[in-house]
């Protein structure tokens, strides 16, 4: 087993890192540090995920090699985001805790430039920077890179994704030709390899884990559900893992906000992080998440960049990312620093091909798991509760004075009854909630999309006070339903356009949404009224037909089904 001293790290640094809990070098440190301790160090091209310990891999040798007599920039570390830039600065400050002569400056956008100028002018030997602000400071002639000995490009793929290609080139061109360059990246796209070709001189290639693959200790699982059940599946997952601490990735800002709002409304400890929050709002959410005051953070890929949290138990892909490589980034946020992590994908059958592409990229199998049933969840929650009771700390001093009265009040109950009651007090809401829960699984073999659904989830029939005299066409009505409900894939059943009014059917899981979304809407200056109609033609098990297109059945002269606001059997709301 190697030690930090064994790979050449000096005692004052070892003392500092041991105090922050490092006991022995991580694999990337064992590989990189000995190269960087050499006098004539080679360039390095390292394929490594975040969380592998790469900051210390380049940071410890840089701290040790810094010439404290010299007051100009010797080492430059470039990273894509303010958060990562600050994280690197903090880490380096920690390693150099007992080397007070070392000055490290952080240079990043969105903060006062004057403070950063001051920090550099104080004689910073190490600068941790994001590319945009660094260029600004170079142009102002505050930063001079002519004496830089080593440049580190951290999360280089992210820097390219964020559009810093030209900035990187411009910065690298201002550093000395004979400097030493270290490139760290979680993935190695072609564009990055061409930069490496141009700027790295015969580099030593180091790979921690497989090329473009996920970290070894991450398990990849998938729950296959119908499109419309995505959110229900998410809630089941959150309930099935009561101690979950993770990020839920969404594709758009809107989806992020919607999922976070729904989770909050349903009583989960969640919040959203997306691009156009102010820096202060971002910091507040991130801090709460770091402190575990938020258990589930809903985020877009861009917003989650630079969010550095080590002990996430799960990553949830609410939707798969548009670009496959982003999956590696997402999943790399769990299973860090040697811990076990799980990357969960909520998917539908149409995405099967993309799952195969991901499997190829991560070189691992994605395990297909059944969505936990209501019963599974109740069982899990019950034992979680029992566990909590077993482990709860009792504050004798505070509780002692109340106990005699409590004992007296509960005297008539024996041990078994008492346990039953205590457990039920907490547990009943889960039983209640899940008692009529449906099976959310979408069968993977066989094409049927109807199987796996509870038979009770059919269509609800609505009355609308518009008809042929208003020139209402099925296509217009479908457009209204999609627009007003904002549900992309809502399933629409039969449409009957009559003279003065019409009927339409939609997925009964969205009955309330449809009713709410038609409130206060006007059509050609007429106030629109929509109500649940009696299900005259109808059985609750009418076959569902998916109709997002403009085709409709336009049955003539069907008698009005009545306008009483009564829910059809098919319209019965699911418990979940
Ligand atoms: P990084 O990949 O640099 O973001 O590091 C991931 C996490 O691992 C950070 O929280 C580091 O503090 C931690 N870490 C780095 N090196 C070690 C080590 N040798 N022992 C224990 N933890 C470490």
């Amino acid at each position: 087993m190697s030690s930090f001293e064994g790979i050449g790290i000096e005692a004052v640094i070892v003392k500092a890192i041991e105090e922050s809990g490092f006991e022995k070098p991580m694999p990337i440190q064992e590989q990189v540090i000995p190269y960087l301790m050499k006098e004539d160090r080679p360039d390095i091209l390292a394929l490594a995920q975040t969380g592998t310990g790469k900051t210390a891999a380049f940071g410890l040798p840089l701290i040790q090699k810094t010439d404290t007599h010299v007051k100009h920039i010797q080492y430059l570390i470039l990273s894509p985001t303010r958060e990562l830039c600050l994280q690197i600065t903090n880490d380096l400050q920690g390693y150099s805790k007992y080397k007070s002569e070392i000055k490290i400056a952080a240079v990043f956008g969105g903060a006062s430039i004057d403070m950063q100028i001051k920090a550099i002018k104080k004689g910073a030997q190490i600068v941790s920077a994001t590319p945009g602000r660094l260029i600004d400071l170079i142009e102002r002639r505050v930063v001079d890179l002519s004496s830089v000995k080593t440049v580190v490009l951290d999360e280089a793929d992210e820097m390219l994704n964020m559009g810093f290609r030209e900035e990187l080139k411009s910065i690298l061109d201002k550093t000395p030709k004979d400097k030493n360059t270290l490139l760290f990246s979680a993935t190695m796209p072609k564009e990055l390899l061409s930069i490496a070709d141009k700027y790295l001189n015969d580099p030593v290639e180091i790979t921690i884990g497989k090329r473009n693959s996920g970290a070894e200790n991450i398990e990849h699982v998938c729950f296959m559900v119908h499109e419309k059940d995505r959110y229900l599946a998410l809630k089941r997952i959150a309930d099935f893992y009561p101690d979950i601490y993770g990020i839920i990735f969404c594709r758009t800002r809107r989806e992020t906000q919607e999922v976070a709002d729904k989770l909050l409304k349903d009583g989960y400890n969640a919040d959203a992080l997306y691009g156009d929050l102010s820096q202060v709002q971002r910091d507040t959410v991130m801090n709460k998440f770091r402190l575990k005051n938020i258990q589930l953070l809903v985020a877009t890929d861009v917003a989650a960049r630079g969010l550095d949290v080590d002990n996430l138990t799960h990553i949830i892909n609410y939707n798969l990312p548009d670009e496959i490589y982003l999956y590696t980034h997402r999943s790399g946020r769990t299973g860090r620093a040697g811990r076990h992590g799980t990357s969960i994908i909520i998917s539908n059958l149409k995405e099967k091909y993309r799952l195969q592409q991901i499997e190829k990229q991560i070189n691992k199998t994605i395990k297909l798991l059944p969505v936990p049933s209501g019963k599974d969840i109740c069982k899990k929650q019950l034992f979680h509760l029992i566990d909590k009771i077993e482990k709860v700390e009792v504050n004798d001093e505070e509780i002692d004075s109340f106990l005699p009265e409590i004992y007296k009040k509960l005297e008539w109950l024996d041990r078994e009854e008492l346990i039953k009651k205590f457990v039920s007090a907490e547990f009943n809401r889960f039983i209640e909630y899940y008692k009529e829960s449906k099976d959310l699984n979408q069968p993977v073999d066989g094409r049927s999309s109807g199987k796996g659904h509870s038979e009770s989830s059919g269509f609800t029939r609505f009355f609308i006070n518009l008809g042929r005299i208003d020139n209402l066409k099925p296509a217009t009505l479908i457009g209204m339903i999609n627009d007003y409900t904002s549900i992309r894939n809502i399933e629409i059943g039969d449409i009957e356009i009559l003279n003065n009014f019409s009927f339409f059917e939609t997925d009964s899981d969205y009955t309330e949404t449809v009713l709410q979304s038609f409130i206060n809407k006007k059509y050609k200056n007429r106030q629109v009224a929509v109500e649940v109609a009696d299900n005259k033609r109808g059985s609750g098990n009418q076959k569902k037909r998916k109709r997002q297109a403009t085709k409709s059945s336009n049955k003539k002269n069907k008698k009005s089904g009545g306008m009483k606001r009564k829910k059809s059997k098919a319209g019965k709301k699911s418990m979940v």
Side-chain angles (χ1 to χ4, degrees):
M1 189 177 87
S2 70
S3 64
F4 282 107
E5 288 94 342
I7 53 174
I9 301 295
E10 63 189 357
V12 277
I13 299 180
V14 174
K15 184 169 179 233
I17 56 178
E18 277 180 356
E19 282 173 13
S20 66
F22 295 15
E23 285 170 9
K24 60 183 175 63
M26 289 170 80
I28 193 169
Q29 295 155 6
E30 276 178 333
Q31 289 199 50
V32 170
I33 291 174
Y35 281 117
L36 299 187
M37 300 309 286
K38 288 186 188 166
E39 231 9 85
D40 192 12
R41 23 180 207 273
D43 285 355
I44 287 179
L45 180 63
L47 189 71
Q49 307 274 317
T50 50
T52 47
K54 60 191 165 58
T55 316
F58 62 76
L60 300 179
L62 296 193
I63 296 285
Q64 185 156 330
K65 296 267 175 176
T66 300
D67 183 347
T68 49
H69 304 297
V70 179
K71 303 287 178 219
H72 54 233
I73 304 170
Q74 295 164 43
Y75 301 114
L76 172 66
I77 301 149
L78 290 170
S79 60
T81 61
R82 159 195 155 114
E83 282 80 19
L84 187 58
C85 165
L86 280 170
Q87 180 72 40
I88 293 168
T89 313
N90 282 339
D91 285 358
L92 297 192
Q93 273 160 350
Y95 310 151
S96 58
K97 191 168 151 191
Y98 298 111
K99 296 189 79 167
S100 55
E101 335 75 84
I102 291 190
K103 294 194 172 55
I104 305 161
V107 164
F108 53 89
S112 155
I113 201 162
D114 298 334
M115 301 288 284
Q116 297 177 1
I117 293 175
K118 250 192 212 159
I120 289 172
K121 288 194 167 159
K122 266 191 190 159
Q125 300 108 347
I126 302 180
V127 170
S128 162
T130 55
R133 176 58 66 91
L134 184 70
I135 297 249
D136 195 349
L137 290 179
I138 294 171
E139 283 167 0
R140 290 175 189 230
R141 299 188 184 286
V142 176
V143 164
D144 170 13
L145 299 180
S146 61
S147 308
V148 164
K149 291 188 194 160
T150 299
V151 177
V152 181
L153 305 172
D154 196 13
E155 297 204 359
D157 51 350
E158 280 296 325
M159 286 198 276
L160 287 189
N161 291 331
M162 291 178 72
F164 285 134
R165 187 171 212 277
E166 291 314 310
E167 283 87 346
L168 282 187
K169 286 182 166 177
S170 150
I171 292 167
L172 288 170
D173 287 339
K174 291 184 178 64
T175 55
K177 281 253 166 323
D178 61 349
K179 68 174 178 301
N180 172 225
T181 307
L182 318 175
L183 189 155
F184 290 82
S185 189
T187 59
M188 216 40 91
K190 275 198 197 109
E191 196 189 0
L192 190 58
L193 284 173
S194 81
I195 290 200
D197 262 356
K198 177 155 184 222
Y199 289 97
L200 270 58
N201 183 17
D202 195 16
V204 172
E205 287 192 32
I206 291 173
T207 302
I208 297 296
K210 295 210 170 62
R211 187 164 274 251
N212 288 345
S213 82
E216 288 309 308
N217 42 346
I218 300 173
E219 188 184 12
H220 301 261
V221 304
C222 171
F223 296 106
M224 196 65 86
V225 297
H226 292 271
E227 181 56 36
K228 72 182 176 63
D229 289 333
R230 237 176 241 280
Y231 177 70
L232 298 184
L234 174 66
K235 285 207 306 181
R236 296 244 182 129
I237 293 164
D239 287 342
F240 192 68
Y241 300 105
D243 288 324
I244 193 168
Y245 174 47
I247 304 179
I248 300 167
F249 281 98
C250 293
R251 266 193 313 231
T252 61
R253 170 201 183 287
R254 182 168 163 182
E255 188 176 73
T256 305
Q257 188 64 64
E258 271 172 16
V259 170
D261 284 350
K262 281 196 211 162
L263 284 173
L264 277 173
K265 202 167 129 247
D266 290 336
Y268 294 87
N269 181 6
D271 211 335
L273 193 67
Y274 46 82
D276 38 1
L277 291 181
S278 72
Q279 192 61 51
V280 176
Q281 287 170 316
R282 260 175 80 80
D283 287 347
T284 311
V285 176
M286 282 192 183
N287 280 337
K288 278 205 225 158
F289 186 55
R290 277 193 199 102
L291 295 170
K292 288 199 177 179
N293 291 340
I294 298 171
Q295 205 179 349
L296 291 167
L297 185 69
V298 193
T300 55
D301 292 284
V302 175
R305 273 179 193 142
L307 174 63
D308 198 73
V309 181
D310 275 342
N311 44 354
L312 297 182
T313 59
H314 292 77
I315 287 300
I316 301 178
N317 294 270
Y318 185 73
N319 259 307
L320 284 174
D322 291 330
E323 307 273 357
I324 297 291
Y325 80 88
L326 280 174
Y327 178 82
T328 318
H329 275 275
R330 289 180 176 186
S331 54
R333 296 185 167 278
T334 183
R336 299 177 67 165
R339 294 183 184 86
H340 176 81
T342 308
S343 173
I344 293 177
I345 302 168
I346 304 177
S347 171
N348 67 30
L349 265 186
K350 285 190 219 139
E351 295 168 314
K352 231 175 138 183
Y353 174 66
R354 309 200 60 220
L355 293 175
Q356 287 163 356
Q357 286 181 314
I358 291 175
E359 282 185 326
K360 244 194 232 160
Q361 163 145 350
I362 60 176
N363 204 15
K364 274 186 174 181
T365 310
I366 299 173
K367 245 193 260 166
L368 185 70
L369 294 184
V371 182
S373 67
K375 200 170 168 203
D376 297 335
I377 291 170
C378 288
K379 187 172 167 197
K380 193 83 181 264
Q381 288 283 350
L382 184 57
F383 283 94
H384 184 248
L385 172 65
I386 307 292
D387 232 32
K388 216 162 85 178
I389 292 178
E390 255 191 316
K391 287 182 192 147
V392 71
E393 245 178 71
V394 176
N395 189 332
D396 286 322
E397 247 173 64
E398 294 295 322
I399 207 170
D400 267 358
S401 61
F402 301 109
L403 283 177
E405 212 177 320
I406 295 172
Y407 288 148
K408 199 151 180 242
K409 191 155 179 7
L410 299 176
E411 224 169 33
W412 60 281
L413 290 165
D414 65 25
R415 182 185 139 90
E416 271 73 30
E417 280 169 314
L418 195 60
I419 292 176
K420 246 193 261 179
K421 277 186 182 286
F422 265 95
V423 171
S424 301
E426 183 73 33
F427 184 55
N428 277 353
R429 87 192 148 90
F430 272 101
I431 299 181
E432 185 55 34
Y433 182 74
Y434 277 112
K435 79 175 166 206
E436 284 182 43
S437 58
K438 60 181 184 180
D439 178 7
L440 295 185
N441 290 290
Q442 183 174 29
V444 175
D445 35 13
R447 302 264 132 212
S448 155
S449 63
K451 272 191 220 157
H453 262 311
S454 142
E455 288 304 306
S456 75
S457 77
F459 285 110
T460 298
R461 188 167 145 82
F462 295 89
F463 160 86
I464 182 164
N465 65 339
L466 304 174
R468 272 197 292 274
I469 55 164
D470 304 289
N471 208 11
L472 184 73
K473 298 267 183 334
T476 331
L477 187 53
I478 291 170
M480 286 162 89
I481 298 167
N482 285 335
D483 273 8
Y484 295 167
T485 58
S486 306
I487 304 170
R488 258 188 303 163
N489 295 318
I490 190 163
E491 287 179 82
I492 299 173
D494 271 353
I495 293 178
E496 290 176 59
I497 309 277
L498 303 179
N499 220 21
N500 298 317
F501 49 82
S502 308
F503 294 97
F504 63 90
E505 294 176 337
T506 66
D507 183 336
S508 49
D509 285 351
Y510 296 110
T511 304
E512 274 314 308
T513 314
V514 172
L515 287 173
Q516 292 298 322
S517 59
F518 272 89
I519 290 175
N520 286 333
K521 291 291 183 308
K522 282 196 168 164
Y523 181 72
K524 297 187 176 161
N525 279 333
R526 260 189 82 185
Q527 188 74 39
V528 179
V530 167
E531 297 195 20
V532 174
D534 262 352
N535 203 2
K536 270 273 152 90
R537 295 182 301 106
S539 49
N541 53 14
Q542 297 153 358
K543 262 201 181 151
K544 278 188 178 183
R545 263 144 301 160
K546 200 162 189 168
R547 189 201 306 265
Q548 266 102 248
T550 51
K551 210 170 140 231
S552 80
S553 94
N554 187 357
K555 292 187 185 96
K556 279 185 197 145
N557 296 328
K558 276 262 171 189
K559 215 180 145 240
S560 151
M563 285 159 254
K564 275 176 269 162
R565 205 179 153 108
K566 185 181 153 204
K567 273 188 182 166
S568 63
K569 189 176 172 233
K572 192 173 171 207
K573 237 182 147 232
S574 152
M575 291 300 297
V576 191

